[in-house]
Amino acid sequence: MNDKPEKLIDKKGVRLDGRKPDELRPIKIDVGVLSNADGSAYIEHGKNKILAGAYGPREVHPKHLALQDRMLLRCRYHMAPFSVQERKSPAPSRREVELSKVIRESLEPSIFMEYYPRTALDVFVEVLQADGGTRCASITAAALAVADAGIPMRDIVVACAAGKVEDTIVLDLMDEEDKLGSADVPLALMPNLNAVTLLQMDGILTVEEFEQAVNLAIEGCKKISAIQKETLKAKYVDVKEVEE
Ligand code: UDP
């Protein structure tokens, strides 16, 4: 593990990786990356590298889990053993079970579950490289994988965190800020409906700081949402040769 840096943010408001407090890490998204999945997405969010695959709607196994009036959404978040500095056991950890639930609950409000009774939609998230904020990047990728599978949705969920390092509220914490900072507020949003589908807080903030962090996270979500939509549209752009 690296030694603790002296300061996470300097007097001029420059963070360890050179970002300003309200700046996102570089983000790159791809859709349709897995040919065996019904829908898929790959995201690079800073140093995070995450793959999401959506399978369904399909028959439910075991059958007794099927819901008579709506689709069953199952999500699995998994971190590859090589995704972090210290080897992560491939067996599901408590944290992974929690994050699987968090991802499912973030996506569920956006999907027209009632359109597909007695079926299942399975969403698998594989974290290949982790650098803080993997739950948010996973939600962003998982929502795109579901959209890519052609499942009708009210909106495409997008997620981003804000938090506090030293005395400053900052956007999109990377690993060091996440671990050494004093608070982290991950938020998932349906940007067109302006509805929050996930709000968590790790650490302590005053009411004013919390409001500031939530607003900053929403701004971050909106920026990522634009990249998400551009990526999805680009897949369906018809490339035609223009004859002179
Ligand atoms: N992490 C790690 N080993 C683990 C789990 C997490 O090194 O077994 C790191 C990883 O970089 C992750 C960060 O700790 O992104 C923060 O984890 P947290 O539980 O806060 O979730 P996240 O911020 O990724 O949503």
Side-chain angles (χ1 to χ4, degrees), residues 7-53:
K7 274 211 160 303
L8 292 171
I9 186 161
D10 71 13
K11 277 188 214 134
K12 288 185 190 152
V14 179
R15 294 153 72 178
L16 283 181
D17 55 3
R19 280 185 292 154
K20 290 186 270 206
D22 61 351
E23 203 174 327
L24 286 168
R25 289 174 283 183
I27 295 173
K28 206 183 117 213
I29 312 180
D30 250 334
V31 284
V33 290
L34 300 172
S35 54
N36 291 344
D38 293 305
S40 56
Y42 170 71
I43 186 166
E44 286 184 8
H45 187 141
K47 289 186 208 151
N48 289 314
K49 295 187 177 186
I50 300 169
L51 200 52

Side-chain angles (χ1 to χ4, degrees), residues 159-206:
C160 185
K164 187 179 169 186
V165 297
E166 316 288 351
D167 288 325
T168 314
I169 300 296
V170 298
L171 182 62
D172 189 17
L173 289 81
M174 42 89 163
D175 197 32
E176 260 172 323
E177 293 174 329
D178 195 330
K179 288 191 177 124
L180 306 171
S182 41
D184 181 23
V185 181
L187 181 144
L189 181 75
M190 292 197 278
N192 293 335
L193 301 175
N194 212 15
V196 170
T197 64
L198 167 78
L199 182 60
Q200 294 185 300
M201 184 166 96
D202 181 14
I204 297 171
L205 292 175
T206 64

Side-chain angles (χ1 to χ4, degrees), residues 101-143:
K101 178 176 180 281
V102 158
I103 295 170
R104 175 170 56 77
E105 289 179 350
S106 306
L107 297 182
E108 213 163 59
S110 72
I111 302 172
F112 287 101
M113 308 288 286
E114 63 278 18
Y115 284 11
Y116 302 98
R118 297 178 294 282
T119 66
L121 175 64
D122 292 300
V123 179
F124 295 96
V125 171
E126 287 293 324
V127 178
L128 307 174
Q129 188 167 285
D131 185 43
T134 58
R135 82 192 60 204
C136 290
S138 297
I139 292 167
T140 302

